[in-house]
Amino acid sequence: MGCLGNLLWFVFGGLVTGLSWCLAGCLWCISIVGIPVGLQCFKFAQLSFFPFGKEVQYGGGAGSFLLNVIWLLISGLPLALEHLVIGGVMCITVIGIPFGLQHFKLAKLALMPFGAAVY
């Protein structure tokens, strides 16, 4: 079921959101200081392409908190808003609710990506 969900997800919105994460990663990788942030964006782009069957666990310490604040001000809000809007549109129909829930999971991840691990 996860394979079918991921295939439908990729066709009906996962490609666009995954490319948004890739764009954010490319922009962060322009500076040497931003390369670790950009690499994290690429990891989450992979999750955004195929989210079904994967869980996100949050943790971290003071370093993750500081990096999350910087991330939120620069890139986090646009990505989170994108996922929230698309997720809200998906939840209009009963069939789209599982896809909307995945967007909400990714919106939370867009707000706090550092200290998060994908399983």
Side-chain angles (χ1 to χ4, degrees):
M1 197 62 186
C3 183
L4 179 62
N6 280 328
L7 180 65
L8 289 172
W9 169 270
F10 187 77
V11 172
F12 294 112
L15 178 66
V16 173
T17 58
L19 290 176
S20 297
W21 279 96
C22 287
L23 176 65
C26 288
L27 291 174
W28 275 98
C29 285
I30 289 174
S31 69
I32 293 176
V33 176
I35 289 176
V37 179
L39 294 177
Q40 192 78 348
C41 288
F42 293 132
K43 281 196 275 186
F44 293 137
Q46 183 181 9
L47 175 68
S48 185
F49 283 132
F50 304 107
F52 285 96
K54 298 195 174 112
E55 295 294 323
V56 179
Q57 289 186 342
Y58 295 94
S64 295
F65 175 75
L66 180 62
L67 203 50
N68 277 329
V69 170
I70 295 168
W71 163 263
L72 184 65
L73 295 174
I74 297 174
S75 298
L77 285 177
L79 286 170
L81 287 175
E82 175 186 20
H83 283 294
L84 285 174
V85 168
I86 295 173
V89 170
M90 291 284 188
C91 284
I92 290 174
T93 65
V94 173
I95 295 172
I97 289 175
F99 298 105
L101 294 177
Q102 294 299 319
H103 275 293
F104 296 146
K105 175 174 78 174
L106 291 167
K108 182 179 177 184
L109 183 67
L111 292 175
M112 303 179 302
F114 299 100
V118 178
Y119 296 105

